[in-house]
Amino acid sequence: RLNALITDLMELSKVESGKFPLRLTAFDINELLRITLLSFEKRIDALNLDIEIDFEADNIYVAADKDKITQVVTNLIDNAIKFNKEKGKLGLQVNLKKNKVFIKITNTGIPISESDRGLIFERFYKADHSHARKIPGTGIGLSLVKKILAQHGEKIWIESTENNTTFAFTLESAKNLK
């Protein structure tokens, strides 16, 4: 746990320093999501999760730093599994609207209250629910996710109801990469 905390803090520090410029390339976000999802296969099977994938097209290319976006996607899918319920659903959705690609990662686990939504991207913040306290994590992942997306000039937001929680973010379409 201490190693995870140190690693997360170092990564967050790197992003915040601005000394590590983005390496923008064009890559297929759908492929990245599929590969990342497969890396969680054992945990998905252990919870008997139902996977729902809704990609507007087979291939949707974004202009971003692939390594950094891999961190974003890995963290969000990890959380969607970690905070899901047994026999729940995990959804991935990708849509293209004009020059923006919208990525949504949804689960049927613990809802996020309105008050927590305002704080969840803060460093070390963990929602104070009895179930959430038992779930391991450093409380840095979502802060890192938000910083990486901000470095890309993009946004992330949360939609949460009693039945679903969605983390949605945008990326620039690769059509604009020069």
Side-chain angles (χ1 to χ4, degrees):
R1 185 179 159 120
L2 187 56
N3 280 339
L5 178 61
I6 291 168
T7 301
D8 286 350
L9 279 172
M10 288 174 53
E11 193 61 38
L12 186 59
S13 178
K14 279 192 242 179
V15 171
E16 288 178 336
S17 76
K19 293 180 182 174
F20 295 89
L22 296 176
R23 290 179 298 211
L24 297 181
T25 60
F27 63 92
D28 183 358
I29 189 65
N30 294 350
E31 179 184 10
L32 177 64
L33 286 163
R34 286 184 197 105
I35 289 168
T36 305
L37 190 64
L38 285 172
S39 73
F40 289 103
E41 184 176 15
K42 286 181 184 178
R43 288 179 51 207
I44 290 167
D45 289 345
L47 285 172
N48 199 21
L49 298 178
D50 182 27
I51 306 299
E52 295 178 352
I53 295 177
D54 180 14
F55 295 160
E56 185 175 304
D58 288 338
N59 306 98
I60 297 179
Y61 288 85
V62 295
D65 185 314
K66 187 174 183 179
D67 291 337
K68 298 261 190 251
I69 299 305
T70 298
Q71 285 181 285
V72 167
V73 168
T74 299
N75 187 290
L76 293 176
I77 291 175
D78 177 55
N79 282 351
I81 295 168
K82 192 185 316 183
F83 292 99
N84 212 329
K85 61 185 178 186
E86 192 168 345
K87 296 183 181 178
K89 291 182 182 175
L90 173 65
L92 303 177
Q93 182 179 21
V94 180
N95 294 304
L96 178 62
K97 294 178 186 168
K98 296 188 181 182
N99 295 327
K100 289 290 182 187
V101 176
F102 291 78
I103 299 100
K104 293 183 177 183
I105 299 172
T106 303
N107 76 8
T108 54
I110 305 167
I112 300 171
S113 71
E114 189 72 40
S115 60
D116 285 335
R117 282 180 238 165
L119 300 169
I120 204 157
F121 293 107
E122 297 297 318
R123 188 183 309 194
F124 300 119
Y125 184 79
K126 291 175 94 174
D128 189 24
H129 304 289
S130 59
H131 179 73
R133 275 185 257 134
K134 297 174 189 170
I135 296 173
T138 62
I140 295 176
L142 290 176
S143 178
L144 182 59
V145 163
K146 186 172 182 176
K147 299 274 185 197
I148 289 170
L149 291 170
Q151 191 179 20
H152 280 81
E154 301 297 338
K155 295 184 177 3
I156 184 166
W157 64 96
I158 304 166
E159 300 162 1
S160 191
T161 65
E162 186 177 319
N163 300 318
N164 293 297
T165 295
T166 300
F167 281 82
F169 65 96
T170 57
L171 290 173
E172 193 71 26
S173 169
K175 294 176 189 176
N176 300 327
L177 187 63
K178 296 178 181 167

